[in-house]
Amino acid sequence: KAVKEGMLEKRSDGLLQLWKKKRCILTEEGLLLIPPKHPPPPQQQQQPAPPAEPAAKIKELHFSNMKTVDCVERKGKYVYFTVVMAEGKEIDFRCAQEQGWNAAITLQMVQYKNRQAILAVRS
C-alpha cells in the first residue's frame, strides 16, 4: 500500500555522480525506486506494458536494511538527504523542499522499526 508517491532525484554511483529522476513509492515496508520510463507496478493496466526494462531495475530500499535518514542541507529549492543502509552504503537524494520526502521516509522507517520491536517483545 502506497503511503506517498512522486518523483525524487537520486545521485548516481558513477564517476560523474549525476542526479537521475526516479519515480518513488513509499510503503510501510520501504521505498521503491522505479526508473521514470518503467511501467507502474501491475495494479490495473488496460493493455500489457511493452517490455521496457527488466524488473531488476526496480530497487527496493527495505526499512529492515535502513539505518538512518540524514537531512544534509536545504539549498535553493532543494532538500538534500542521505539514506544510510545497514551495511554502511549511503544513497543521496534530493527533492523540492515542499515535498517533504525526507520527513515521510523517516516517519515510515520509525513506524516500521517500532512495529518490529513490538513483535520482538511479544515473541
Side-chain angles (χ1 to χ4, degrees):
K1 178 178 147 278
V3 176
K4 183 176 176 75
E5 285 187 54
M7 296 300 277
L8 260 178
E9 290 183 59
K10 176 185 170 293
R11 195 191 327 240
S12 65
D13 294 330
L15 193 62
L16 297 175
Q17 295 197 333
L18 302 168
W19 289 101
K20 296 188 177 173
K21 285 191 186 308
K22 300 283 182 186
R23 209 174 73 227
C24 296
I25 301 173
L26 181 62
T27 69
E28 292 179 352
E29 301 293 316
L31 183 66
L32 290 174
L33 304 176
I34 306 163
K37 292 182 282 292
H38 203 282
Q43 281 156 341
Q44 61 257 27
Q45 288 184 333
Q46 293 81 0
Q47 63 208 30
E53 298 172 62
K57 285 282 189 187
I58 296 179
K59 270 199 193 126
E60 182 179 9
L61 305 179
H62 202 279
F63 290 137
S64 62
N65 300 326
M66 223 180 261
K67 229 181 351 193
T68 60
V69 179
D70 296 333
C71 186
V72 181
E73 62 180 328
R74 298 171 190 275
K75 198 160 71 181
K77 64 177 183 172
Y78 289 112
V79 172
Y80 293 82
F81 62 97
T82 303
V83 171
V84 183
M85 302 305 285
E87 69 273 10
K89 181 177 165 70
E90 295 186 355
I91 306 164
D92 295 328
F93 292 97
R94 72 179 184 185
C95 66
Q97 287 199 31
E98 66 276 1
Q99 289 180 333
W101 272 99
N102 53 326
I105 295 168
T106 303
L107 187 65
Q108 287 304 316
M109 183 180 70
V110 167
Q111 288 177 349
Y112 174 86
K113 303 267 189 203
N114 286 346
R115 283 195 306 272
Q116 296 307 306
I118 289 167
L119 289 173
V121 167
R122 284 185 184 156
S123 61

